Amino acid sequence: GAVVSQHPSRVICKSGTSVKIECRSLDFQATTMFWYRQFPKQSLMLMATSNEGSKATYEQGVEKDKFLINHASLTLSTLTVTSAHPEDSSFYICSARDIQDQETQYFGPGTRLLVL
Amino acid sequence: QKEVEQNSGPLSVPEGAIASLNCTYSDRGSQSFFWYRQYSGKSPELIMSIYSNGDKEDGRFTAQLNKASQYVSLLIRDSQPSDSATYLCAVISSGSARQLTFGSGTQLTVLP
């Protein structure tokens, strides 16, 4: 089956530092990857859509200069949280859509970010 | 605004019973519908996808879609305690972005 990995699974950092999260599709190619954020007891909220070789599309209210997304290859997208603050602490989840199947999204295991 | 609505629950059923989870969506042009299961602290796991009206069965799971009523449901037969999780309904709405829109999820507890 389609497998998506994320790294790191958990990160604790000091306020003001930047954190990079990697999302990889392991056994398929993905022209499109998605980044979600989930706060406790809430559903997933789409942050941005990442397209290979082009600029990401950000949802309303998501600061593109704070959440930098790079999708340099068909199997890798990265999300960098710049100058992280405690309110950025959340569960960040990526998903990838198989180039062969434009309907189904496969989710990574998520990255739990805690900013002190 | 394109929305997906779910009863947040919690829904409790005894072990062995049928759990029924419901979802409505607002975008009449939606074509693709998914049910994901999310255990606490984990990311969503795809259970079922359904694209046409009617029922689709996979093991103990049955997804039902009624586009006229803009309604999609998930039935879990012979519920097990391991089915206890939050179930997320997701819809790919009309439009070129093909983004998933999630409901808020229904928390299911299966009591042993």
Side-chain angles (χ1 to χ4, degrees), chain A residues 6 32 34 36 38 41-44 46 49 57 59 91 93 95 97 101-110 112, chain B residues 6 31-32 34 36 38 40-46 49 51 88 92 96-105 107:
Chain A
Q6 270 185 253
T32 305
F34 302 87
Y36 295 85
Q38 186 176 36
K41 305 293 185 183
Q42 296 185 23
S43 191
L44 283 77
L46 179 65
T49 301
T57 303
E59 294 301 298
F91 191 38
I93 310 171
S95 71
R97 196 160 62 197
D101 167 13
Q102 291 296 310
E103 296 295 317
T104 307
Q105 287 186 30
Y106 300 96
F107 283 83
R112 196 162 299 280
Chain B
Q6 291 182 256
Q31 296 295 322
S32 305
F34 304 85
Y36 286 86
Q38 187 176 25
S40 180
K42 302 294 185 182
S43 68
E45 171 192 8
L46 179 67
S49 59
Y51 306 105
L88 300 167
I92 292 183
S96 60
R98 312 292 295 165
Q99 296 169 349
L100 270 177
T101 300
F102 283 90
S104 57
Q107 185 180 342

Side-chain angles (χ1 to χ4, degrees), chain B residues 10-74:
Chain B
L11 172 67
S12 294
V13 299
E15 184 174 357
I18 296 175
S20 177
L21 305 163
N22 304 314
C23 173
T24 59
Y25 58 95
S26 63
D27 182 7
R28 187 169 287 277
S30 300
Q31 296 295 322
S32 305
F33 308 87
F34 304 85
W35 283 98
Y36 286 86
R37 176 175 61 197
Q38 187 176 25
Y39 292 111
S40 180
K42 302 294 185 182
S43 68
E45 171 192 8
L46 179 67
I47 297 176
M48 295 277 289
S49 59
I50 187 166
Y51 306 105
S52 54
N53 282 327
D55 295 0
K56 179 181 178 182
E57 186 174 318
D58 183 1
R60 295 187 296 113
F61 299 98
T62 298
Q64 299 174 319
L65 175 62
N66 184 326
K67 290 184 180 180
S69 301
Q70 295 175 238
Y71 173 89
V72 58
S73 67
L74 179 71

Side-chain angles (χ1 to χ4, degrees), chain A residues 26-41:
Chain A
L26 297 186
D27 51 1
F28 64 98
Q29 293 183 322
T31 52
T32 305
M33 291 184 173
F34 302 87
W35 288 95
Y36 295 85
R37 180 167 53 182
Q38 186 176 36
F39 293 106
K41 305 293 185 183

Side-chain angles (χ1 to χ4, degrees), chain A residues 23-81:
Chain A
C23 177
R24 294 181 185 272
S25 56
L26 297 186
D27 51 1
F28 64 98
Q29 293 183 322
T31 52
T32 305
M33 291 184 173
F34 302 87
W35 288 95
Y36 295 85
R37 180 167 53 182
Q38 186 176 36
F39 293 106
K41 305 293 185 183
Q42 296 185 23
S43 191
L44 283 77
M45 296 301 297
L46 179 65
M47 299 175 65
T49 301
S50 167
N51 295 295
E52 187 265 337
S54 64
K55 291 183 178 180
T57 303
Y58 290 81
E59 294 301 298
Q60 191 172 8
V62 178
E63 300 175 56
K64 63 180 181 180
D65 295 329
K66 181 171 180 63
F67 299 99
L68 301 179
I69 292 173
N70 183 276
H71 191 159
S73 78
L74 287 173
T75 58
L76 173 64
S77 177
T78 61
L79 168 68
T80 301
V81 183

